[in-house]
């Protein structure tokens, strides 16, 4: 529309009419004469507004999601940190439970042998040079540890104390080539000397070249004078191989040690020897042999063997056939 005198008058007139309608609507309240017109306009333009709103809402939601994404990212990162901390805690709990089992087993060994022990933790291993097998424990002279004391764990003999400081001590492991301990065979009481061979089984020289020994036989420490460096009755290991005697004065056997020297954690230093030799009391109980299955076959009248399983694992003939016999 061109800017003319008539167009200006028309604009002023429309504005005056609009103000007049607004004034009438406000004064009329719920009985306003323009209420019907307003409802009609709402009926016409309402669907259009709803369509526009439905198109705009997803965009608004997306904007809100982008606005909240920073907070959500921080929350996810926090949950991930909590999850990692929980995993570490669970791992620590598993390790603690394992150490509790080791300590319990060691205390049972000490109780069976009546050994007074000082528990310690392995905190370092010796240098690999010179084929030396040693560990350092976190107990020393301040804890009553002295040189030439027996060291054990829940499995058996670990070694002996060689060097002692105020708060730490060095233990020479039983598998070191410089390690030698007197042994006694279970039941037969055959004596010998066990020597370490590194990561191989212990080599035991039995004093009796004609001693009857077989794989599976077990050995304990014989003990030393005044119980230093070894107290008696500590489990050493199990025979895994017997060399032919060949008429020698001694006989050599290979013994798998009970202690795992590459996974030591909690150990006990024997600070008080038992009053009497525990003999074989500290050895673990032998596992029960698996039951053997025996089969008894009873021929049937037709000549074909028939049978049934007994309660003890065997097979016997049918009851009616046994009655007939």
């Amino acid at each position: 529309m061109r800017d003319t005198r008539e167009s200006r008058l028309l604009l002023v007139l429309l504005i005056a009419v609009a103000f007049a309608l607004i004034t009438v609507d406000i004064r009329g309240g719920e009985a306003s004469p323009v209420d019907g017109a307003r409802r009609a306009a709402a009926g016409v333009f309402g669907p259009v507004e709803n369509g526009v709103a439905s198109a705009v809402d997803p965009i608004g939601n997306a904007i809100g999601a982008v606005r909240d994404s920073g907070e959500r990212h921080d929350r996810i990162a926090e949950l991930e940190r909590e999850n990692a901390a929980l995993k570490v805690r669970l791992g620590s709990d598993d390790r603690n439970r394992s150490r509790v089992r080791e300590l319990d087993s060691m205390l049972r060994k000490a109780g069976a042998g009546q050994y007074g022990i000082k528990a310690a933790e392995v905190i370092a291993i010796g240098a690999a040079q010179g084929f030396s097998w040693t560990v350092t424990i976190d107990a020393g002279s301040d804890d009553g540890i002295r040189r030439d004391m027996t060291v054990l764990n829940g499995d058996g003999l670990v070694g002996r104390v060689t060097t002692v400081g105020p708060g730490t001590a060095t233990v020479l492991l039983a598998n070191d080539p410089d390690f030698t301990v007197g042994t006694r065979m279970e039941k037969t009481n055959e004596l010998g000397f066990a020597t370490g061979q590194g990561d191989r089984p212990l080599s035991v020289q039995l004093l009796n070249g004609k001693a009857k020994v077989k794989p599976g036989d077990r050995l304990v420490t014989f003990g030393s004078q005044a119980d230093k460096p070894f107290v008696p009755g500590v489990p050493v290991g199990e025979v895994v191989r017997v060399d032919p005697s060949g008429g020698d004065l001694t006989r050599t056997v290979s013994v798998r040690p009970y202690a795992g020297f590459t996974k030591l954690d909690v150990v006990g230093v024997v600070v008080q020897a038992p009053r009497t030799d525990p003999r074989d009391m500290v050895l673990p109980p032998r596992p029960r042999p698996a039951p053997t299955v025996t089969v008894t076959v009873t021929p049937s009248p037709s000549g074909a063997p028939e049978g049934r399983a007994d309660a003890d694992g065997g097979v016997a003939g049918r009851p009616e056939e046994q009655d007939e016999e």
Side-chain angles (χ1 to χ4, degrees), residues 155-177:
D155 298 320
L157 179 67
V158 171
R160 63 180 176 88
V161 178
T162 56
T163 306
V164 182
T168 61
T170 301
V171 178
L172 182 69
L173 301 181
N175 64 334
D176 189 277

Side-chain angles (χ1 to χ4, degrees), residues 67-323:
R67 183 178 61 249
D68 298 337
S69 62
E71 297 178 359
R72 294 180 182 179
H73 178 75
D74 294 340
R75 179 56 179 163
I76 291 174
E78 180 182 355
L79 292 175
E80 289 177 347
R81 287 193 298 269
E82 292 177 358
N83 190 29
L86 181 60
K87 289 181 179 179
V88 171
R89 182 178 177 182
L90 290 175
S92 177
D93 289 344
D94 290 340
R95 183 172 183 270
N96 290 335
R97 283 192 291 268
S98 176
R99 299 183 72 184
V100 168
R101 288 193 297 268
E102 290 182 21
L103 182 60
D104 181 68
S105 178
M106 183 176 67
L107 292 177
R108 290 176 183 273
K109 283 273 191 300
Q114 296 300 304
Y115 308 125
I117 65 171
K118 174 66 179 181
E121 182 181 357
V122 174
I123 57 176
I125 59 174
Q129 294 86 353
F131 201 60
S132 177
W133 292 77
T134 61
V135 296
T136 302
I137 59 176
D138 63 349
S141 57
D142 293 345
D143 305 290
I145 308 301
R146 300 291 182 268
R147 179 183 170 88
D148 287 336
M149 283 184 168
T150 307
V151 182
L152 53 79
N153 66 359
D155 298 320
L157 179 67
V158 171
R160 63 180 176 88
V161 178
T162 56
T163 306
V164 182
T168 61
T170 301
V171 178
L172 182 69
L173 301 181
N175 64 334
D176 189 277
D178 292 333
F179 186 96
T180 301
V181 58
T183 61
R184 181 178 57 78
M185 295 287 299
E186 179 187 14
K187 297 181 179 179
T188 65
N189 295 327
E190 294 286 353
L191 302 181
F193 293 94
T195 303
Q197 297 190 108
D199 54 1
R200 294 183 295 166
L202 305 176
S203 176
V204 178
Q205 295 284 335
L206 297 178
L207 300 182
N208 182 5
K210 297 181 180 180
K212 294 183 179 180
V213 59
K214 63 184 183 302
D217 289 346
R218 304 186 294 180
L219 298 88
V220 298
T221 56
F222 177 68
S224 307
Q225 185 176 5
D227 300 311
K228 290 184 178 297
F230 302 109
V231 294
V234 180
V236 175
E238 186 175 300
V239 176
V240 293
R241 188 179 73 250
V242 180
D243 294 343
S245 61
D248 297 334
L249 296 178
T250 61
R251 190 167 195 181
T252 303
V253 297
S254 296
V255 174
R256 180 179 64 247
Y258 286 124
F261 302 111
T262 60
K263 53 181 181 180
L264 295 172
D265 187 9
V266 180
V267 298
V269 182
V270 181
V271 295
Q272 183 177 355
R275 294 182 178 179
T276 58
D277 188 345
R279 310 292 290 181
D280 302 331
M281 295 295 296
V282 190
L283 284 169
R286 284 189 175 275
R288 295 182 179 181
T292 58
V293 179
T294 58
V295 178
T296 303
V297 179
T298 303
S300 64
S302 61
E306 295 184 0
R308 62 179 176 81
D310 286 336
D312 59 355
V315 176
R318 294 179 300 178
E320 61 271 16
E321 294 175 354
Q322 294 180 349
D323 295 338

